[in-house]
Amino acid sequence: MKLNYKRTFFVGLAFFSITAFWQMYDNIIPLILQNTFHLKESVIGAIMALDNVLAVFLLPIIGTLSDKVDTPLGKRTPFILGGTAAAVVLMMLLPLADSREMLWLFIAALGLTLIAMAMYRSPAVALMPDLTPKPLRSSANAVINLMGAVGGVYSLVLIRFLVGKEERPSYLGVFAGVAILMVASAVILLLTIREKKLAAQIAEEYPEEAEEAAAEETSAAPLAPEVRRSLGFILASIALWYAAYNAVTTAFSRYAVTVWGMEGGGFADCLMVATVAAILSYIPSGAIASRIGRKRTILLGVACMFVSYTSVLFYPTYHFSANIFFALIGIGWAAINVNSLPMVVEMSRGSEIGKYTGLYYTFSMSAQIITPILSGILLQYISYHTLFPYAMFFTACAFFTMSRVKHGDAKPAAKKTVLENFDVDD
């Protein structure tokens, strides 16, 4: 059983464009709110958290809805096409509102754009497990995450070369560049991924999974108590490690200035090291999981991040060697990200993948709403030295809850002959 990398690439185009959008959103929208509309930091923070708040409520609903529909294009494709089209039209109103300093139009267009993006995030992510056999989902998710990272780099390159140094530069080129990418990705996905045809083909190739999915779909029985318990533990783990990771990523620039005394944008080097290490680790993380299992790979990633947070804590000032531990953070995060979503959907019924994908994002987004506030209180009223102990605490809790997960792992496919044990999957 080998992963079809070409098909996985085309399936990942939707997530590729989604990540490109969010990279642009996170970098450009705060600048517009601050420099054009002169809003206070607290107001900007509230607006920037709006996407996470919407995601908590909308993603499970949309994911469940996509499980239930049946169209000539499939279950997920209509949401991807419709959501992309709406988002592209609405997002192009944002640079217009910026240039004309129309706050009401900017806020209205931003809110509607976020709703449009939420309309197809869960279906886009659920498309991969729909069209990938269970044992190969970690490897496929590694490809998807790698494509997402490339999408983020695409937006950063646009920002680097298309945003001028004026006090109020035009962001039209950046928005247009991302919009073109989103449209192109949706069109290529439509032309290359015939969702219903591929789903039927995979059902023929893997009849055991098809029979299991059919039995689950007709069954009205709830999840077994032990599976429900495992699901609860892994969802708690997702919230906990996101609470740790998001606290560090959102506050590290201020930590570097306040504690390490770094000047300018030097802190970005550490974050870049972590990002590059994660990109290089996505594919190996999927391969490792196929050998030792998803749970063990995740636990290794969580342990790696705990050691890294602990080590960075003992640097009173910045030293180049600290980048070693930031690289380990990236490696650990890749091991977690690649394998956690496949474990969640592994516990779902075949007809509820979209619903469980939405649950995954509900817990990850909830953590990203709460942790900046909670860690921010500690930073403001106690000390910036609380940042890494905060991350260590939640990472340790995540290790404990993850160790309690007993379901959702994938067993390697049995080899038909002795010689197949020497075959290397490509």
Side-chain angles (χ1 to χ4, degrees):
M1 185 182 293
K2 297 182 179 181
L3 180 65
N4 186 323
Y5 282 95
K6 181 179 178 181
R7 183 169 67 206
T8 304
F9 170 81
F10 289 126
V11 167
L13 285 172
F15 188 70
F16 172 67
S17 68
I18 287 172
T19 309
F21 171 86
W22 289 117
Q23 184 71 265
M24 176 194 68
Y25 172 87
D26 288 338
N27 285 277
I28 298 300
I29 299 301
L31 294 177
I32 294 176
L33 293 172
Q34 183 179 58
N35 298 330
T36 300
F37 300 114
H38 309 291
L39 299 181
K40 295 181 179 180
E41 290 288 345
S42 58
V43 178
I44 294 174
I47 293 174
M48 293 304 294
L50 182 61
D51 64 301
N52 292 327
V53 175
L54 286 172
V56 168
F57 296 102
L58 287 179
L59 294 188
I61 295 173
I62 302 302
T64 301
L65 181 61
S66 70
D67 286 331
K68 299 181 183 302
V69 302
D70 184 18
T71 74
L73 293 176
K75 297 189 294 184
R76 320 296 181 187
T77 303
F79 287 89
I80 295 172
L81 297 179
T84 300
V88 165
V89 171
L90 291 165
M91 67 185 275
M92 292 310 297
L93 294 175
L94 297 174
L96 173 65
D98 172 43
S99 64
R100 298 188 178 183
E101 300 186 35
M102 301 172 66
L103 180 59
W104 68 268
L105 176 61
F106 187 87
I107 297 299
L110 183 63
L112 292 173
T113 300
L114 294 178
I115 292 173
M117 293 299 298
M119 291 294 292
Y120 76 102
R121 184 166 184 168
S122 289
V125 175
L127 187 62
M128 181 278 288
D130 276 348
L131 302 180
T132 306
K134 288 184 177 182
L136 300 178
R137 285 174 181 170
S138 285
S139 296
N141 203 38
V143 176
I144 302 296
N145 276 279
L146 181 58
M147 292 179 67
V150 174
V153 171
Y154 171 84
S155 290
L156 290 175
V157 171
L158 289 181
I159 293 170
R160 172 66 179 81
F161 290 102
L162 297 183
V163 176
K165 296 182 179 180
E166 305 87 20
E167 183 177 348
R168 281 192 55 221
S170 171
Y171 299 110
L172 179 61
V174 177
F175 278 89
V178 172
I180 291 171
L181 177 71
M182 292 171 68
V183 171
S185 297
V187 171
I188 295 173
L189 185 146
L190 176 64
L191 295 176
T192 57
I193 300 298
R194 307 291 184 178
E195 184 184 338
K196 293 197 76 169
K197 181 180 178 181
L198 281 174
Q201 178 184 328
I202 291 171
E204 290 182 6
E205 293 177 358
Y206 305 97
E208 299 85 358
E209 288 195 19
E211 291 173 5
E212 181 183 343
E216 290 172 346
E217 190 167 353
T218 57
S219 173
L223 288 179
E226 61 273 16
V227 178
R228 185 181 295 274
R229 191 177 304 112
S230 284
L231 178 63
F233 276 122
I234 194 170
L235 291 175
S237 302
I238 290 165
L240 290 166
W241 61 55
Y242 264 99
Y245 183 77
N246 186 253
V248 172
T249 56
T250 56
F252 179 70
S253 59
R254 289 168 286 162
Y255 178 92
V257 172
T258 305
V259 177
W260 285 354
M262 298 181 74
E263 298 179 351
F267 66 88
D269 292 343
C270 300
L271 300 179
M272 186 62 70
V273 166
T275 301
V276 171
I279 290 174
L280 296 176
S281 301
Y282 283 132
I283 301 297
S285 294
I288 291 171
S290 69
R291 303 296 182 187
I292 69 172
R294 293 169 183 155
K295 176 181 173 179
R296 289 180 180 176
T297 305
I298 290 175
L299 287 174
L300 285 174
V302 175
C304 190
M305 297 186 75
F306 181 84
V307 170
S308 302
Y309 294 146
T310 305
S311 301
V312 173
L313 174 65
F314 288 99
Y315 279 82
T317 59
Y318 172 73
H319 188 274
F320 181 78
S321 61
N323 286 320
I324 296 173
F325 299 107
F326 279 92
L328 289 176
I329 290 174
I331 293 169
W333 190 242
I336 291 169
N337 253 0
V338 163
N339 296 291
S340 52
L341 175 63
M343 285 195 75
V344 171
V345 298
E346 190 88 16
M347 296 183 221
S348 71
R349 295 187 177 89
S351 60
E352 294 183 330
I353 287 177
K355 173 184 175 181
Y356 281 71
T357 301
L359 280 175
Y360 172 92
Y361 280 109
T362 294
F363 279 79
S364 64
M365 293 295 181
S366 296
Q368 293 177 79
I369 293 171
I370 296 170
T371 203
I373 300 172
L374 184 57
S375 63
I377 291 172
L378 296 176
L379 297 178
Q380 180 175 346
Y381 293 104
I382 300 179
S383 167
Y384 270 85
H385 290 283
T386 62
L387 178 61
F388 285 99
Y390 177 95
M392 291 162 55
F393 172 76
F394 282 99
T395 304
C397 291
F399 188 93
F400 171 75
T401 53
M402 190 63 210
S403 68
R404 308 294 295 172
V405 176
K406 306 298 182 184
H407 299 80
D409 223 329
K411 297 178 180 178
K415 303 297 185 181
K416 296 180 181 178
T417 68
V418 173
L419 290 177
E420 285 190 12
N421 286 286
F422 298 95
D423 183 31
V424 178
D425 292 347
D426 55 21

